[in-house]
Amino acid sequence: MTRSDGILNRWMKGSVDRALEMQPRRTSRVRDEYLYSAPSAREVVAEIADAGRRLVEGGLAPRTVGAIAVRRTDAIAARTAPGTDLARIDNRMLESVPISDDDPVAGALAHDEAAILCWPPALSAIATRLEPVPSLAARLPTIASEPGPARLVESFDGSWLAIAPTVAQAIEWIEVAEHAARMQARRDP
């Protein structure tokens, strides 16, 4: 980076900060777009985009209903904006949100690095019809290809929250759990 690039970046950041003071709602989107288009954020955006594509292609979440979040700092998370098409995520579709209990997806990041909210159909069906969630979840580490500290939590509305150290682990756990539920449903109609 040349000296002029550093000056330009500082000037742009200063302009965005001033605009935030004048019009916070309107400019927070611009700030997030600038933040997640930076080269340092490209890996995070690519990881979230890949997870979104896998959710939609695997039938694990409706295109515009699920959510993916990754911890950026101790207090801030990068989260897909409400209504984002999970199959086409780019830097413009991420927003910075505080890690708090107001948002269950961002709130899950209080103790972990990544969280994914989805609606896997077979897992939801088997959890309500055939097998209690704790016993199904207890068997997942023996089924998963890379057992780790990831966990699945069922919510009241039939959605599932996968919480893991990485987005890749969270999506893998959802896929493995859905596959295990499909296998179980075939055995116990």
Side-chain angles (χ1 to χ4, degrees):
M1 182 161 81
T2 65
R3 186 172 190 277
S4 63
D5 289 340
I7 291 169
L8 183 60
N9 281 338
R10 281 195 309 272
W11 179 78
M12 287 293 292
K13 184 174 178 351
S15 295
V16 170
D17 289 342
R18 281 189 301 281
L20 276 170
E21 290 173 10
M22 294 185 289
Q23 299 177 345
R25 286 188 180 148
R26 182 179 259 176
T27 56
S28 63
R29 192 71 172 138
V30 173
R31 180 201 59 210
D32 287 343
E33 201 172 306
Y34 175 72
L35 172 68
Y36 296 115
S37 65
S40 60
R42 286 187 186 140
E43 188 175 312
V44 171
V45 173
E47 190 175 19
I48 291 173
D50 180 55
R53 274 190 301 279
R54 287 171 67 179
L55 282 173
V56 173
E57 289 170 3
L60 302 171
R63 290 181 82 92
T64 59
V65 179
I68 303 168
V70 177
R71 182 200 302 234
R72 299 288 291 174
T73 68
D74 287 341
I76 301 293
R79 184 191 191 286
T80 53
T84 294
D85 183 349
L86 296 176
R88 296 180 177 188
I89 296 172
D90 64 17
N91 64 308
R92 296 169 294 167
M93 297 167 184
L94 297 178
E95 60 185 14
S96 296
V97 295
I99 295 175
S100 69
D101 291 335
D102 295 341
D103 178 3
V105 180
L109 300 178
H111 302 289
D112 254 307
E113 299 298 316
I116 297 176
L117 182 70
C118 62
W119 280 263
L123 185 60
S124 296
I126 200 167
T128 57
R129 287 188 303 125
L130 302 173
E131 189 170 356
V133 175
S135 64
L136 178 64
R139 290 186 314 148
L140 287 179
T142 62
I143 298 169
S145 61
E146 289 185 36
R151 60 193 182 282
L152 294 170
V153 180
E154 184 181 25
S155 75
F156 66 92
D157 65 353
S159 64
W160 288 78
L161 188 62
I163 307 161
T166 66
V167 172
Q169 277 186 316
I171 189 69
E172 180 177 308
W173 269 70
I174 294 165
E175 290 170 340
V176 167
E178 179 69 0
H179 180 70
R182 286 180 183 156
M183 289 174 31
Q184 183 69 32
R186 287 183 188 143
R187 278 188 288 216
D188 302 329

